[in-house]
Amino acid sequence: MTVLQPPVQKNDYYDVTVEDLTHDGAGVAKINGYPIFVSNALPQEKIKIKITKVKKGYAFGRIEETYKESPYRVNAPCPIYKQCGGCQLQHLSYEGQLVAKRKQVADVLERIGHLKDIPVHPVLGMDHNPWRYRNKAQVPIGEREGGLIAGFYQQRSHEIIEMKDCLIQQETNDRVVQTVRGICEKHGVRAYNEKTHKGVLRHVMARYGLVTGEVMVVLITRTPDIQNRKAIVEEITAALPEVKSVVQNVNTKKTNVIFGDETRVLWGEEYIYDYIGDIKFAISARSFYQVNPEQTKVLYDKALEYADLTGEETVIDAYCGIGTISLFLAQKAKKVYGVEIVPEAIEDAKRNALLNGIDNAEFGVGEAEVVIPKWYKEGITADVLVVDPPRKGCDEALLQTIIKMKPKKVVYVSCNPATLARDLRVLEDGGYRTVEVQPVDMFPHTVHCEAVARVELK
Ligand code: SAH
């Protein structure tokens, strides 16, 4: 094979038309098929770019001049949009985001999964208000002029930039974080310093139950002790009556992983409650809970529709978290087995089954790829198998067990279209057919994209 020379040179200027968006929200233009990534550029835009970096298979460029704007371009409403990087698509109208996300799913199904002509439906977006949706804030704490600041890490840096207001965050969480920050500052708590590995308060987390209005505060600290802890907790609960639980998590390690291993309740219960549809959930500090509760209902309703239960089925819910999907399905199934790796989440799942009087759901702790093969050996099989894995997708061992077990239906809930496409290919080769895919927008203004696939045994 001949190695082609890149058709562009560093610091040169080119006129291009943007064709696509990458999975991280950059524009893609092509010169003789050679891709150039241009930050902040949108599909359909005609622009002049300056090449900033040239690699063998691709280059980076910067917008120098815009000749024609995308009809979907808007001014990003957030003043710190560029520094933060938490949202990547605020310069694209919400309508434009939904169009882009649908295309992203359809493209990877074809490119990575070699799946052609699969119906990918228009994205189910937030039709009411696609802002202020996040029910969880995890905010790093830093210091400035002796005081504490709560904010975010500037993109590609370890500098904390102060942020009092985040447009995709529930206002309650912003208020809770600022109040907790102020109380800790008043009591002389020092912020954790990454470089010196000294100081105490690393992160403040606030989680808000949209339906119940209940709030959990988690103080993530380097040391088990917090000076004036008792007074701090008293002042938090006095200032914020919606707070039902104050928890401390100790992370002694030099790491950018937020949580440590030790969690203890400082005040109130070890969980807060929320509802999705009619089902009530207890949620503890370490458990995964979808961050956009309004869209979670939309997502789970779609999963339920694709599971198409009659009441006679045995269902396995892999990666079940606190049992959210399991309990949704249990109302319509004969029996549901859920499996999840985080022990606290499984405790929550069991509690949640009891809380809702659901007695046909059973839960197991462990890796789905270990527990489900074990269940299969013991004779537990499923008519419908639901998977909702983290971004890295399903483990190969799990996919192979599904292929052996042969559930009639697989419902694949995915937060990463690329691994969804990869895994659907494995299932297709193992005798399954992808019937349709429904993207659901759980994360407006970010590049993240959720989708549910309906998969059936051929
Ligand atoms: N279905 C749930 C959770 C989905 S998030 C919901 O909608 O709320 C994915 C979950 O998979 C997380 O709870 C995570 O802890 C869990 N997980 C990650 N790797 C796992 C593995 N190998 N086996 C089982 N669960 C795993």
Side-chain angles (χ1 to χ4, degrees):
M1 206 175 89
T2 49
V3 178
L4 296 174
Q5 281 301 316
V8 297
Q9 275 184 10
K10 188 171 169 174
N11 295 330
D12 274 2
Y13 295 86
Y14 300 87
D15 287 345
V16 292
T17 301
V18 182
E19 295 175 21
D20 209 347
L21 277 180
T22 63
H23 67 278
D24 50 12
V28 188
K30 285 186 178 154
I31 293 180
N32 303 333
Y34 173 90
I36 303 158
F37 302 118
V38 188
S39 146
N40 194 41
L42 294 175
Q44 303 178 52
E45 294 193 320
K46 292 191 191 311
I47 52 179
K48 181 200 285 289
I49 56 170
K50 182 177 185 181
I51 301 295
T52 52
K53 197 186 238 177
V54 180
K55 299 270 191 182
K56 209 192 275 166
Y58 56 93
F60 294 95
R62 168 172 85 214
I63 303 179
E64 288 291 313
E65 199 181 331
T66 300
Y67 305 118
K68 184 176 153 257
E69 268 194 356
S70 159
Y72 292 125
R73 181 174 284 279
V74 292
N75 287 324
C78 174
I80 45 177
Y81 172 55
K82 288 215 171 119
Q83 288 162 290
C84 171
C87 298
Q88 305 82 15
L89 297 178
Q90 281 195 17
H91 58 297
L92 183 57
S93 70
Y94 191 52
E95 189 193 350
Q97 292 175 23
L98 298 182
V99 170
K101 288 185 183 184
R102 183 189 167 279
K103 182 170 184 300
Q104 194 205 335
V105 174
D107 286 354
V108 294
L109 287 178
E110 207 171 318
R111 199 180 67 240
I112 300 175
H114 308 292
L115 294 156
K116 291 207 175 68
D117 305 320
I118 308 258
V120 177
H121 302 297
V123 181
L124 295 171
M126 295 187 81
D127 32 52
H128 164 58
N129 172 22
W131 298 96
R132 298 283 184 193
Y133 58 85
R134 276 189 68 96
N135 60 8
K136 183 174 83 168
Q138 277 177 162
V139 184
I141 302 294
E143 285 183 7
R144 197 173 57 201
E145 288 149 16
L148 296 181
I149 55 168
F152 58 87
Y153 288 110
Q154 184 169 19
Q155 280 201 75
R156 288 178 281 275
S157 102
H158 285 270
E159 182 131 0
I160 295 172
I161 309 259
E162 184 167 33
M163 174 175 59
K164 293 188 171 150
D165 193 28
C166 169
L167 299 183
I168 62 169
Q169 189 59 252
Q170 289 284 347
E171 271 134 332
T172 301
N173 284 341
D174 281 344
R175 186 164 48 80
V176 167
V177 169
Q178 283 306 322
T179 306
V180 171
R181 181 207 60 78
I183 293 168
C184 290
E185 179 179 88
K186 186 182 131 196
H187 286 282
V189 175
R190 298 291 305 265
Y192 174 66
N193 181 319
E194 276 194 327
K195 285 189 202 99
T196 60
H197 195 53
K198 293 215 169 81
V200 175
L201 189 58
R202 301 173 74 125
H203 279 79
V204 171
M205 176 178 131
R207 197 179 238 170
Y208 172 69
L210 181 67
V211 175
T212 59
E214 295 183 358
V215 171
M216 171 182 281
V217 172
V218 187
L219 304 173
I220 299 138
T221 59
R222 181 185 63 88
T223 51
D225 289 327
I226 312 173
Q227 65 188 87
N228 301 329
R229 177 161 59 204
K230 195 158 169 282
I232 289 172
V233 172
E234 270 170 22
E235 285 180 37
I236 290 173
T237 53
L240 301 162
E242 57 273 60
V243 170
K244 302 294 174 205
S245 166
V246 183
V247 172
Q248 181 185 359
N249 174 271
V250 185
N251 184 355
T252 55
K253 297 198 184 101
K254 211 170 173 173
T255 167
N256 56 10
V257 174
I258 297 179
F259 280 97
D261 296 331
E262 193 192 332
T263 306
R264 53 172 127 161
V265 179
L266 301 181
W267 185 88
E269 293 194 278
E270 67 178 288
Y271 32 75
I272 55 164
Y273 294 104
D274 197 21
Y275 285 86
I276 301 169
D278 298 331
I279 304 187
K280 187 175 187 180
F281 293 103
I283 312 149
S284 58
R286 298 299 309 278
S287 295
F288 175 89
Y289 185 61
Q290 295 282 355
V291 295
N292 184 337
E294 193 181 322
Q295 287 298 89
T296 300
K297 173 78 168 58
V298 175
L299 179 73
Y300 292 173
D301 280 343
K302 196 41 85 174
L304 192 61
E305 180 194 321
Y306 283 0
D308 194 20
L309 300 171
T310 64
E312 289 307 309
E313 295 85 355
T314 300
V315 180
I316 291 178
D317 178 17
Y319 311 91
C320 71
I322 60 172
T324 37
I325 296 179
S326 316
L327 299 184
F328 243 66
L329 298 176
Q331 298 171 302
K332 300 267 166 69
K334 190 162 95 197
K335 176 90 195 186
V336 177
Y337 294 91
V339 55
E340 155 69 41
I341 202 168
V342 174
E344 289 94 333
I346 286 296
E347 274 167 44
D348 289 357
K350 289 178 180 164
R351 181 180 299 120
N352 290 331
L354 282 177
L355 203 60
N356 292 281
I358 292 172
D359 56 11
N360 60 337
E362 243 177 71
F363 295 96
V365 183
E367 292 171 304
E369 60 272 23
V370 174
V371 174
I372 294 173
K374 194 178 112 238
W375 282 349
Y376 181 56
K377 271 202 197 112
E378 291 165 6
I380 298 173
T381 60
D383 304 296
V384 178
L385 203 143
V386 179
V387 297
D388 183 7
R391 290 185 57 76
K392 67 174 193 235
C394 293
D395 192 276
E396 180 71 24
L398 175 62
L399 295 171
Q400 293 309 331
T401 304
I402 296 174
I403 289 166
K404 268 190 263 162
M405 186 189 281
K406 295 194 172 45
K408 283 196 280 301
K409 295 190 187 103
V410 175
V411 179
Y412 194 133
V413 182
S414 162
C415 58
N416 182 353
T419 53
L420 171 68
R422 180 199 69 196
D423 294 349
L424 288 179
R425 178 75 264 153
V426 177
L427 291 175
E428 292 260 340
D429 294 342
Y432 282 88
R433 182 175 72 96
T434 307
V435 181
E436 59 189 312
V437 177
Q438 175 64 65
V440 178
D441 193 24
M442 305 289 282
F443 315 103
H445 314 295
T446 78
V447 287
H448 298 292
C449 183
E450 190 92 11
V452 197
R454 182 207 290 263
V455 182
E456 290 178 1
L457 198 59
K458 271 186 217 157

